[in-house]
Amino acid sequence: MANLADSALTLLPQLHVAVGVILRKQQVLLALRSSKQHQGGKWEFPGGKIEPGETVAAALKRELQEELAITVTQAEPFMLLQHTYPERQVTLDIWLVTAFSGTPAGLEGQPLQWVNIADLADIQFPDANQPIVTKLQQDIGLLV
């Protein structure tokens, strides 16, 4: 039975995503997913797919430039997550973005908001993002 379940997981589309937890004092920047996207209508930490042959750091910089018009100047790995949805398996490579240039803007029409880390539990996130919220809230004193 376990082998059959393992085989089913490997048949799911795989998605590797670079995610930026963009920090400003005790706040993080969130973007609202389009209702047309998977897990649409929920807030997320910005980022996007890592292209073949691209490093996570390069993908993060590219995605945040394309989506938010910011240039990442300082970022460090924060955590790595895997989450299985019924229709896909995602690997989230999460980085803390502690310095950037430019003013964030939703270049793809997505609303943005700065949210206090302490208030993240009140926000509706995709299921895969919940461990990020938990770790941010646990580490809040270490991040500022």
Side-chain angles (χ1 to χ4, degrees):
M1 258 324 204
N3 288 342
L4 192 56
D6 292 342
S7 297
L9 283 179
T10 59
L11 297 177
L12 288 174
Q14 306 286 310
L15 188 60
H16 191 182
V17 178
V19 176
V21 175
I22 303 166
L23 299 171
R24 178 181 77 178
K25 299 183 183 173
Q26 293 207 1
Q27 295 183 317
V28 294
L29 184 66
L30 302 178
L32 186 62
R33 293 184 63 78
S34 163
S35 61
K36 297 175 186 172
Q37 291 177 295
H38 177 257
Q39 296 282 299
K42 296 181 179 182
W43 291 93
E44 68 177 350
F45 300 98
K49 288 188 273 187
I50 299 169
E51 299 296 335
E54 190 175 38
T55 67
V56 177
L60 181 69
K61 289 179 180 182
R62 177 184 52 76
E63 286 287 346
L64 297 184
Q65 180 68 50
E66 291 173 0
E67 290 183 17
L68 305 175
I70 64 171
T71 301
V72 174
T73 56
Q74 188 172 351
E76 61 187 60
F78 182 57
M79 64 189 302
L80 183 68
L81 294 174
Q82 286 196 327
H83 186 83
T84 302
Y85 290 103
E87 62 283 345
R88 71 180 60 160
Q89 187 171 28
V90 295
T91 299
L92 302 179
D93 216 317
I94 303 110
W95 286 50
L96 292 178
V97 176
T98 53
F100 61 90
S101 61
T103 301
L107 296 182
E108 298 173 347
Q110 73 277 33
L112 304 177
Q113 69 171 334
W114 288 101
V115 177
N116 290 325
I117 293 172
D119 296 333
L120 289 175
D122 300 331
I123 304 290
Q124 189 174 14
F125 287 96
D127 295 341
N129 284 205
Q130 291 304 326
I132 304 170
V133 171
T134 300
K135 185 166 174 53
L136 278 171
Q137 290 183 324
Q138 288 172 347
D139 295 356
I140 190 169
L142 304 174
L143 299 176
V144 288

